[in-house]
Amino acid sequence: METILEGLPGVTNFFDDIIIPADGFDNLLSVLSATLERLRTHGIRLNRAKCVFATPTLECLGHKIDRHGFHKSDKHIAAIRDAPQPTTPEQLQLFLGKATYYSAYISNLSDRTRPLRDMLLTDPFKWTLDAEKAYQDIKEALISPQVLMQYDPSLPLILATDASKTDHKPLTQILHPEKSLPTLCISRMANYADYLAHFNFDVVFKPTDQNTNADYCSRIPHPSTRNEVNKLSLHGGRNVSEEDGIDRFALHQIQQLPVRAEHIARETRKNPHLGKIVQELEAGRNLARIGYKAPEACYTLAANCLLFEHRVVIPSTLRQPILDDLHTAHIGIVKMKGLARSFIYWPGIDSDIERSAKSCVECARHAHAPPKFSDHHWEYPKGPWGRVHIDYAGPVAGAMLLVIVDAYSKWLEVKVTNSSTTEATIKILDELFAAYGVPTTIVSDNGTQFTAAEFKTFLQRSGVTFHKFSAPYHPATNGQAERYVQTVKDTLKAMSTTRNSLQTNLNELL
């Protein structure tokens, strides 16, 4: 249904329910006509009794929608209001499910339902005073007349942000809509100021403790303990309160590696290419604008080390020790790559990991053989004697047996011969072709009697179109004949077959 209605302005559906909103009657008629024509084109018919047109209110999926916004459905509110107190865990789960469905109308729902959710963990189920208070609180919230209003662009919009290493109070002056940019930052801030000039706004500074809703998204909570050596080496003696969350994240990533953070930072600066990138970032330049391409254009600087997304960029001098550490447990290429993608990066890291793992002598010594390919199946023949599988069995009771199987009917022929040469094989098959006709395809193994030029000439002269061979050292590809070879040999062995009784026993078997 989504595909059918695609492109119709404002038209939405939930399975076979279609909703067409409009801000006026003429607009409604236009969209409705286009929708009905689209449905007619695809052969979809509507039930007139279930259709409602030009209604100011609509109930759908437990909500009532009107010009004021979204309300909870009246019948759902009545059901909640008249519902008895839950007496079993199942009844309480139903109530919590209803509350969760209307969670958009209830602030702090998780905290307010905590006493009720705790009751589900107790045995036996017992209603408590705290549960009763929480139950009545949620019930009152559910039956109260809250309305979810649509976004109104004409009203003021407050945007709370936090994306800097320190609380940038100077931004209130730098980006002030009525003041010019300071000389010191005009080269770096001109583009931002030019873009913001198209808007009517005020920049208001709020300290960290008053901006926690946005501050939490950009900063990691301070840990209770910190390695003093790393703290001094990474932050140059800065106060702990000045540490940035990105720095702490980078430090956490580096602590998983077999090299120290200051070692990575030192080798990064020594590297001619990476050292230049570090200098550009420290100068506040945008890497993409000064000519760097992805992924280098996405590098950032944290804890004096380069980061690509969440991964530490490793200079060339430290890559081999890290590869050795990744391969310590001989976990294989796939797991090595997965582990590396969590912590480290350098261009060509996947190729280096593959080369490291493939060159490991111990991994090669203990590697398992590749699994057998078992997805190939012979196409089923269109009629009897269309494809015939042949193979020799024996010696059995001093003789060789030529096993011939029709792939269509599973008809089995077993011919006794004292020789398995090409000449003897041709003689047997010539008799069978005279009795049953010439097959389209012959399937055999790579025995010399079947690969000989004389046998090939015989098949061409007889009218056999295709001669297919099984894969070398994989007899299962001629499975029809191989299976019957085993069956014939096992059966004759169980019958205690001798040379004199061989033909008699074969006749009984067939």
Side-chain angles (χ1 to χ4, degrees):
M1 186 63 74
E2 289 86 353
T3 303
I4 294 174
L5 300 176
E6 185 178 4
L8 293 173
V11 179
T12 58
N13 76 289
F14 183 78
F15 292 96
D16 58 350
D17 292 333
I18 302 174
I19 302 176
I20 306 176
D23 56 3
F25 188 74
D26 293 338
N27 187 22
L28 175 63
L29 288 180
S30 176
V31 179
L32 178 60
S33 298
T35 303
L36 294 176
E37 179 61 25
R38 183 76 62 84
L39 296 175
R40 187 190 67 79
T41 303
H42 288 82
I44 297 177
R45 304 182 64 181
L46 304 179
N47 187 337
R48 178 62 182 86
K50 294 184 177 181
C51 296
V52 180
F53 300 97
T55 178
T57 63
L58 173 68
E59 289 209 13
C60 181
L61 302 176
H63 294 83
K64 184 173 72 173
I65 309 170
D66 59 20
R67 64 187 180 90
H68 299 292
F70 284 79
H71 312 258
K72 297 182 288 292
S73 172
D74 293 337
K75 63 179 181 180
H76 285 251
I77 292 177
I80 295 169
R81 182 188 63 237
D82 301 333
Q85 173 185 299
T87 58
T88 65
E90 291 76 15
Q91 293 177 1
L92 180 56
Q93 287 175 333
L94 289 174
F95 176 79
L96 291 174
K98 179 64 68 176
T100 303
Y101 185 76
Y102 288 120
S103 59
Y105 298 88
I106 307 173
S107 61
N108 300 323
L109 177 62
S110 179
D111 293 337
R112 295 165 75 171
T113 58
R114 179 61 181 270
L116 298 176
R117 290 184 285 108
D118 288 343
M119 286 187 59
L120 296 175
L121 304 176
T122 61
D123 189 21
F125 183 82
K126 184 179 179 181
W127 197 256
T128 64
L129 182 60
D130 290 340
E132 177 64 24
K133 292 179 179 179
Y135 176 70
Q136 294 299 332
D137 177 40
I138 299 300
K139 194 171 183 179
E140 291 176 4
L142 286 172
I143 63 178
S144 60
Q146 295 109 323
V147 178
L148 295 181
M149 300 182 64
Q150 294 184 357
Y151 169 68
D152 187 351
S154 64
L155 297 177
L157 175 65
I158 298 177
L159 177 64
T161 64
D162 180 63
S164 61
K165 292 189 175 184
T166 61
D167 293 319
H168 264 196
K169 187 175 181 178
L171 288 178
T172 59
Q173 298 295 321
I174 295 174
L175 299 180
H176 196 285
E178 298 178 358
K179 297 182 179 180
S180 60
L181 289 174
T183 305
L184 293 176
C185 66
I186 191 170
S187 62
R188 297 175 58 184
M189 305 298 293
N191 291 334
Y192 298 105
D194 179 65
Y195 176 77
L196 292 174
H198 297 83
F199 302 92
N200 181 17
F201 67 94
D202 291 317
V203 180
V204 179
F205 169 73
K206 293 180 68 175
T208 296
D209 56 355
Q210 298 178 20
N211 193 33
T212 54
N213 59 327
D215 191 68
Y216 180 80
C217 297
S218 65
R219 298 176 183 268
I220 302 173
H222 290 286
S224 58
T225 59
R226 173 72 69 178
N227 184 290
E228 295 299 325
V229 176
N230 284 331
K231 178 170 63 179
L232 292 175
S233 63
L234 285 175
H235 303 286
R238 288 188 304 177
N239 188 280
V240 175
S241 61
E242 297 177 356
E243 295 175 4
D244 185 73
I246 298 298
D247 289 344
R248 287 194 295 276
F249 176 78
L251 176 61
H252 173 76
Q253 295 291 81
I254 295 171
Q255 286 175 338
Q256 317 300 315
L257 305 178
V259 291
R260 294 175 59 84
E262 58 268 25
H263 194 186
I264 295 178
R266 184 169 58 252
E267 293 298 322
T268 299
R269 290 184 180 275
K270 287 182 179 180
N271 185 286
H273 184 63
L274 296 182
K276 185 177 179 181
I277 294 178
V278 171
Q279 294 175 5
E280 299 290 357
L281 290 174
E282 288 179 335
R285 298 187 179 92
N286 186 304
L287 296 179
R289 292 182 178 177
I290 60 177
Y292 285 94
K293 306 298 182 182
E296 292 175 341
C298 301
Y299 285 1
T300 57
L301 188 64
N304 295 323
C305 298
L306 290 176
L307 290 185
F308 173 57
E309 296 175 346
H310 62 281
R311 301 154 66 182
V312 181
V313 179
I314 303 299
S316 56
T317 54
L318 301 179
R319 293 172 185 175
Q320 191 56 48
I322 291 178
L323 284 174
D324 295 341
D325 185 71
L326 284 174
H327 195 60
T328 300
H330 302 278
I331 56 177
I333 294 176
V334 174
K335 290 185 178 180
M336 285 178 65
K337 288 182 179 179
L339 192 59
R341 288 166 185 158
S342 299
F343 300 101
I344 57 175
Y345 172 80
W346 64 78
I349 184 174
D350 285 355
S351 300
D352 291 344
I353 288 175
E354 292 176 9
R355 183 167 53 253
S356 175
K358 291 179 180 179
S359 62
C360 177
V361 176
E362 291 300 319
C363 286
R365 180 179 294 120
H366 299 287
H368 297 288
K372 294 182 178 180
F373 184 77
S374 58
D375 289 342
H376 172 75
H377 300 280
W378 286 101
E379 182 180 353
Y380 193 70
K382 297 181 179 180
W385 214 247
R387 187 177 74 244
V388 175
H389 294 252
I390 61 176
D391 194 15
Y392 271 104
V396 176
M400 297 297 293
L401 305 178
L402 180 59
V403 178
I404 306 99
V405 185
D406 173 31
Y408 181 84
S409 63
K410 312 305 179 188
W411 179 267
L412 175 64
E413 289 283 348
V414 182
K415 299 298 182 180
V416 181
T417 178
N418 292 323
S419 173
S420 60
T421 61
T422 301
E423 182 181 358
T425 304
I426 291 174
K427 182 178 179 180
I428 295 173
L429 292 180
D430 195 30
E431 293 178 359
L432 287 174
F433 293 170
Y436 301 117
V438 178
T440 303
T441 304
I442 290 284
V443 181
S444 69
D445 60 19
N446 293 270
T448 55
Q449 63 271 67
F450 300 127
T451 57
E454 184 181 355
F455 188 76
K456 179 180 180 181
T457 302
F458 164 72
L459 293 181
Q460 292 175 345
R461 187 178 68 250
S462 299
V464 176
T465 306
F466 304 106
H467 181 199
K468 296 184 179 295
F469 297 97
S470 59
Y473 307 106
H474 290 83
T477 52
N478 190 18
Q480 290 280 358
E482 293 291 342
R483 178 66 265 175
Y484 277 104
V485 165
Q486 191 64 43
T487 300
V488 169
K489 291 172 66 176
D490 292 345
T491 303
L492 293 178
K493 183 177 180 181
M495 298 171 71
S496 301
T497 302
T498 64
R499 186 64 179 88
N500 294 330
S501 63
L502 177 57
Q503 189 61 57
T504 302
N505 290 348
L506 276 176
N507 293 341
E508 293 181 8
L509 169 63
L510 299 175

